[in-house]
Amino acid sequence: TQVMAVNCYPPCPGPEKALGLPPHSDYSCITILLQNLAGLKIFDPMAHGGGSGRWVVVPQVTGVLKVHIGDHVEVLSNGLYKSVVHKVTLNEENTRISLASLHSLDMDDKMNVPCELVNDENPVRY
Ligand SMILES: O=C(O)CCC(=O)C(=O)O
Ligand SMILES: [Fe+2]
């Protein structure tokens, strides 16, 4: 299935005091995203040697689509690929608009970790 989300973030005089979108991962297999202004940040858990991690700004580049993976791929890969945690911060002066296209299994589909990915070192994680 495909779900399109159209997000509109009005300007905010105190962006550090408000959240555009709180940290989350998408339930999708993949999410394709178009933004008119920077504001999306992704969490890099491996930064600083896997210590506390850090938030990385996704730059706005005209005409560029950003693709990230969601929870379905994390489960289908038995945790080999991690769902990308992301959030949105607001802009002081400008309205930010993003189009997110989430591509997923059907609502009623059941998914399993493939048995090929399970062995003594890699137990079933989901
Ligand atoms: O506005 C964005 O850049 C992100 C939107 C988002 O994360 C979502 O709709 O799930
Ligand atoms: Fe998202």
Side-chain angles (χ1 to χ4, degrees), residues 5 7 9 21 24 26 31 33-35 39-40 68 86-88 96-100 102:
N7 303 297
Y9 308 88
L21 209 58
H24 67 280
D26 297 338
T31 298
L33 197 117
L34 183 67
Q35 58 177 356
L40 178 66
H68 62 241
H86 52 287
K87 67 178 181 180
V88 176
R96 179 173 181 277
I97 292 172
S98 71
L99 303 178
L102 286 78

Side-chain angles (χ1 to χ4, degrees), residues 2-75:
Q2 180 189 14
V3 170
M4 284 286 295
V6 181
N7 303 297
C8 179
Y9 308 88
C12 174
E16 67 292 334
K17 295 195 202 103
L19 267 178
L21 209 58
H24 67 280
S25 64
D26 297 338
Y27 67 88
S28 55
C29 282
I30 61 165
T31 298
I32 305 171
L33 197 117
L34 183 67
Q35 58 177 356
N36 73 330
L37 201 68
L40 178 66
K41 291 181 179 167
I42 59 173
F43 189 67
D44 176 6
M46 299 314 284
H48 315 304
S52 49
R54 71 178 174 130
W55 289 97
V56 182
V57 176
V58 176
Q60 191 274 327
V61 183
T62 303
V64 164
L65 297 171
K66 185 213 172 263
V67 180
H68 62 241
I69 60 169
D71 300 342
H72 285 175
V73 169
E74 180 167 333
V75 173

